[in-house]
Amino acid sequence: MLELGILLGLGAALCWGLSDLFAKVAVTREKNFLPAHITGFCGIIILMVYNFLFPPANFPPLTIVYGLLPVGFLMSLGWWLFYHSLQKGLVSIQSAIGASYGLPAFLLGIPLLNEYPSILQMAGALLAMVSTFFLSLASLNIKKMKFDSNAMLALIASLCWGIALVLLAPFAKAYPPQIAVFSHVLFSFIFVTIFVLISGKQLFPKNRKNFIPAILASVDSIGLIFYYSAAAFFYTTLLAPVSSIYPIFTLAFAGYFLREKLKNYQFVSIIAILIGIIMISYP
């Protein structure tokens, strides 16, 4: 089950890496358009199909589902801030900073969820998370490096996501993953749509072609299916760090499609991340 949890976490990472790339394309084409609500709506459609094909065995009381509203708010706030950070920042940098959610999930999961991985696994998780964050620094000129507003937005987004994943973990273990992932996406969609309306941003892009990357970014929801399927039996303190290595995939896609150049020590970071994942795979 340990290996399956890691594989599902890596599947989530792959989907989220692709989602960040498509989101970057969408937010840079039109400055007054943040497609998080469109991505969320498409995610709901994907999950409705998923629930139809694989119906959950049981449903929680509505009072418990409503208790997930704070989780939806934190998730949507994270996406809202992260999409703002993508508008002006390099996706390879913002994605790596946003992936720092693994650290608060790791630190909070141990005392709050009573999860106690082995020393080797904790060391591997820390190595993977630190190396992932280093990917963001590797793209900067160290002498001129500044923690700008875009980086701050991505960092706050990662904190929101990390806390939300810990809050949602007991629910994900108690009920079928279909319920957890659908509640996550539905509440996130509701709140992020409110953010769009309040902010005065465009609900729809002026150029219809910009619908395409916004829709493709909903691959994020497929990643959530992988994540919550693993969360049903796998430690959140390990799953969050494993899934947070998705900037590796974002870097690869950004380097190929967006021509963002990688530096030599970014490859060192990637090797360190892979070593961390291997350490996590040993109980």
Side-chain angles (χ1 to χ4, degrees):
M1 296 296 281
L2 178 62
E3 291 79 6
L4 178 59
I6 291 174
L7 286 175
L8 289 171
L10 292 175
L14 174 61
C15 292
W16 294 343
L18 275 170
S19 179
D20 278 6
L21 178 72
F22 292 129
K24 172 62 177 178
V25 173
V27 299
T28 52
R29 286 182 174 178
E30 294 188 33
K31 298 301 181 183
N32 200 38
F33 173 60
L34 291 179
H37 59 295
I38 294 177
T39 300
F41 179 76
C42 295
I44 289 174
I45 295 175
I46 291 173
L47 295 175
M48 288 176 66
V49 174
Y50 172 62
N51 285 346
F52 176 78
L53 296 175
F54 305 97
N58 58 77
F59 292 86
L62 286 178
T63 52
I64 294 179
V65 176
Y66 292 147
L68 297 178
L69 282 171
V71 174
F73 176 79
L74 285 171
M75 285 292 184
S76 60
L77 178 60
W79 278 116
W80 181 252
L81 295 173
F82 183 70
Y83 274 45
H84 270 285
S85 75
L86 279 180
Q87 283 192 317
K88 295 183 179 179
L90 290 173
V91 65
S92 54
I93 296 176
Q94 306 310 122
S95 182
I97 297 175
S100 301
Y101 70 82
L103 185 58
F106 176 81
L107 295 176
L108 293 174
I110 293 176
L112 297 182
L113 302 177
N114 292 317
E115 296 181 352
Y116 298 99
S118 68
I119 299 297
L120 181 63
Q121 288 176 321
M122 288 193 287
L126 288 171
L127 176 61
M129 288 185 291
V130 170
S131 301
T132 298
F133 186 75
F134 186 70
L135 289 173
S136 67
L137 304 182
S139 294
L140 301 175
N141 185 327
I142 301 300
K143 294 181 179 179
K144 299 180 180 179
M145 185 173 60
K146 295 181 180 179
F147 203 65
D148 61 19
S149 58
N150 292 320
M152 183 62 74
L153 290 176
L155 192 61
I156 297 173
S158 72
L159 181 61
C160 292
W161 293 334
I163 295 173
L165 290 176
V166 171
L167 294 176
L168 194 54
F171 183 88
K173 294 186 186 304
Y175 298 100
Q178 297 95 321
I179 304 298
V181 67
F182 190 79
S183 301
H184 173 144
V185 175
L186 177 61
F187 291 148
S188 296
F189 165 72
I190 292 172
F191 282 115
V192 83
T193 302
I194 293 173
F195 293 156
V196 172
L197 293 172
I198 293 175
S199 68
K201 294 286 186 181
Q202 297 170 203
L203 278 174
F204 305 104
K206 294 179 180 178
N207 188 336
R208 292 183 180 181
K209 291 182 179 179
N210 293 336
F211 269 112
I212 296 175
I215 292 171
L216 291 176
S218 63
V219 70
D220 166 78
S221 295
I222 299 176
L224 289 173
I225 293 173
F226 287 129
Y227 182 91
Y228 285 115
S229 296
F233 61 87
F234 197 38
Y235 278 175
T236 298
T237 47
L238 297 179
L239 178 59
V242 169
S243 64
S244 71
I245 71 163
Y246 67 84
I248 289 180
F249 300 107
T250 306
L251 279 168
F253 298 136
Y256 183 80
F257 293 106
L258 302 182
R259 305 301 180 188
E260 293 186 8
K261 294 183 179 180
L262 308 183
K263 295 187 177 181
N264 290 335
Y265 43 97
Q266 284 184 295
F267 292 103
V268 175
S269 297
I270 292 173
I271 293 173
I273 291 170
L274 296 177
I275 292 173
I277 298 300
I278 292 172
M279 292 169 66
I280 291 174
S281 66
Y282 284 92

